[in-house]
Amino acid sequence: MRETIDQPATPRKVPTPGSAVRRGFSWRLPLLIAGDALCFVLFAAMGLRSHQEGQGPADVLVTAYPFALAWFLVAPFLGAYRRRASGRGPARALASAEMAWLGAYPAALLARWALGPDHKIPFSFAVVILLANAILLGAWRTLYAFIAGRSGRQSR
């Protein structure tokens, strides 16, 4: 009679839920997106406050929506979320943010016209949209690049 010996199976590494995500996850992109969104919310809140209009969270979000929508649709195609746009120093981050905003700006005007309650964009408001968002996005992206560069935590 022939005897067989069962050999233990080679242990396989079974991935735990989310392990693949944890291994390659970087906070860079979610942080940039959250900061960009916050810039548009801040712009809307400041505008509503300066005009003493509705200042509730819903009012602010409805006001910010067209600008954020345009940014998030156009900016990725203009390189605003590429690693080199935010990870090679504050000057590079500022330049990338400003160029992306200049590219997204016409779409933001169109979105504000189409989605805004009055379907009007006075020239003075168009200038405010351009400058205020350029300042907010530029300041945020510059700050991000400065902190990421100093901390050395930005993955390459």
Side-chain angles (χ1 to χ4, degrees), residues 86-90 141-156:
S86 61
R88 293 194 179 157
R141 290 299 191 97
T142 301
L143 178 65
Y144 171 84
F146 179 75
I147 292 171
R150 299 255 326 185
S151 70
R153 291 186 185 146
Q154 185 170 359
S155 59
R156 297 194 182 263

Side-chain angles (χ1 to χ4, degrees), residues 94-142:
L94 176 62
S96 294
E98 300 306 342
M99 293 306 292
W101 175 242
L102 281 176
Y105 172 69
L109 290 178
L110 183 61
R112 169 52 173 83
W113 173 80
L115 301 171
D118 56 0
H119 302 290
K120 295 178 185 175
I121 304 176
F123 178 75
S124 59
F125 184 47
V127 172
V128 168
I129 292 168
L130 175 67
L131 297 177
N133 286 306
I135 291 167
L136 291 170
L137 288 167
W140 154 240
R141 290 299 191 97
T142 301

Side-chain angles (χ1 to χ4, degrees), residues 7-155:
Q7 299 224 353
T10 310
R12 292 187 316 178
K13 289 187 179 182
V14 178
T16 57
S19 63
V21 172
R22 271 187 254 127
R23 185 173 46 242
F25 184 77
S26 168
W27 281 100
R28 186 188 71 78
L29 188 58
L31 200 59
L32 286 172
I33 291 170
D36 292 350
L38 186 61
C39 287
F40 293 108
V41 168
L42 185 59
F43 166 72
M46 290 185 315
L48 290 173
R49 184 176 174 102
S50 73
H51 293 287
Q52 287 130 14
E53 295 180 12
Q55 296 176 23
D59 297 322
V60 172
L61 293 177
V62 166
T63 302
Y65 173 70
F67 307 108
L69 176 66
W71 171 259
F72 289 120
L73 288 176
V74 175
F77 294 104
L78 299 175
Y81 292 100
R82 290 187 185 130
R83 193 168 303 279
R84 71 173 180 252
S86 61
R88 293 194 179 157
R92 181 79 174 253
L94 176 62
S96 294
E98 300 306 342
M99 293 306 292
W101 175 242
L102 281 176
Y105 172 69
L109 290 178
L110 183 61
R112 169 52 173 83
W113 173 80
L115 301 171
D118 56 0
H119 302 290
K120 295 178 185 175
I121 304 176
F123 178 75
S124 59
F125 184 47
V127 172
V128 168
I129 292 168
L130 175 67
L131 297 177
N133 286 306
I135 291 167
L136 291 170
L137 288 167
W140 154 240
R141 290 299 191 97
T142 301
L143 178 65
Y144 171 84
F146 179 75
I147 292 171
R150 299 255 326 185
S151 70
R153 291 186 185 146
Q154 185 170 359
S155 59

